[in-house]
Amino acid sequence: MHQILGRSSRPRPPHGRNDHQVSVREDTMATSNKSAASSSGTSGRKAAQRPTVRRVAIIGGNRIPFARSNGPYARASNQDMLTSALDGLVSRFSLQGERIGEFAAGAVLKHSRDFNLAREVVLGSKLAPESPASDVQMACGTGLQSIINVANKIALGQMDSAIAGGVDTTSDAPLALNDDLRKILVQLNAAKSNAERLKLVGKLRPGQIVPEMPRNAEPRTGLSMGEHAARTAEAWGLTREEQDELAATSHQRLAAAYDRGFYDDLVTPFQRLTRDQNLRADSTAEKLAKLKPVFGGENGTMTAANSTPLSDGASVVLLATEEWAKARKLPVLGYLTFTQTAAVDYVHGDEGLLMAPAYAVPRMLERAELSLQDFDYYEVHEAFASQVLCTLKAWEDAGFAKERLGLDAPLGSIDRDKLNVNGGSLAAGHPFAATGARIVATLAKQLAEKGSGRGLISICAAGGQGVTAIVEK
């Protein structure tokens, strides 16, 4: 389900259109609208089975300040943080005791006790306990994918309201038992005699007591996300200077947005933190140039400053129909219109782990009949400064357009003054599943402030995947 609803603005000519890429979802919507228009010639029952596609409004968002790993939120669980973010949203829009259509959220790092995380959060929140909930997991794309899942249900008339987002804590990351130890413990639990138990205990070895620590590495390659990104940065010829400049700009813009009150109705305090802990308002490219590389070896260009830190935090967004919002006298910030997911073969092919958005965006633009330049704002997730810059370079590259995208011409460049105008993940931090809702709420509010316009969202994710979306006002 890639097209959420019909676009409200005048279409532009498609860029490098290939008809075979038009989604089934788009064709289905066209059929649904035609059926509804001709329903006078059918029975009432048949007409009711062919719902029209409704516009999905973004009403607002809320998050807690993002914190560095093992910092202010060291003792907070995923459930604690996500409940706080949700209750902040509930209070802001006076939804106490109200039953919403669905709450969808997820986390990348989850304890077994969090098998039903979203539902447990609802039960501990100020929402009506009759509000259903679902868990979603798509690595760093979890938050945006959660939003897309419920937005499609609203568009198809299955419900009128929903809240979606995500949470993650690297401070409370689950530790796995050594697999041999786990098997012995399972057998001990099933043992029927002391003799059996003693025999099993005799199999224990000191090395089995050490837990398996969580690793930020791709299972298929054994390389961390940063190591993968460093390879891609080298392949695209990125300089240290341009990465540091992007990182410094992210901090400066986030600080400016906080100072002008932009985040006053998007962030609620948690554990005495009122702003993102990673924010360094005085960051400059010159200061960042003094740091040593952490990825890519001694001559690498990626540092702790131009890479996102391990972070803790939660974020949610309220979505609804226009009618639902109007009945509650709630303003609409914008509308979610088109979305697209993509994946790349970073294991057997030569594509970078985080380059899937470079493929998802042109496919989405084709269906939306837009060019890359038809946007007022661009929100490109800053997993690493190098990842953002590689994606932008790919869209500008004629060879990439022809050989990888099958286009006659590249998508072209964007106005950097429109990129992450209120700061990005390099400054705010990146609690994996929480980033999507942070970006959607930020972009929707920016469009509402402008009064009209269109914004593009691009989020890379582990596993070689990417999630993208268009928000319009």
Side-chain angles (χ1 to χ4, degrees), residues 292-368:
K292 294 181 179 180
V294 294
F295 300 112
E298 293 182 3
N299 298 318
T301 59
M302 294 176 57
T303 70
N306 59 39
S307 308
T308 50
L310 293 176
S311 314
D312 305 335
S315 184
V316 292
V317 170
L318 174 62
L319 307 169
T321 63
E322 294 172 288
E323 295 75 17
W324 188 92
K326 185 177 180 180
R328 289 158 181 77
K329 298 180 180 180
L330 298 176
V332 173
L333 299 182
Y335 299 91
L336 189 63
T337 55
F338 288 84
T339 73
Q340 184 77 45
T341 56
V344 295
D345 184 359
Y346 69 97
V347 180
H348 307 99
D350 60 352
E351 191 53 274
L353 172 72
L354 303 178
M355 292 298 289
Y359 293 82
V361 165
R363 294 168 189 169
M364 180 173 64
L365 293 178
E366 181 181 29
R367 290 190 297 102

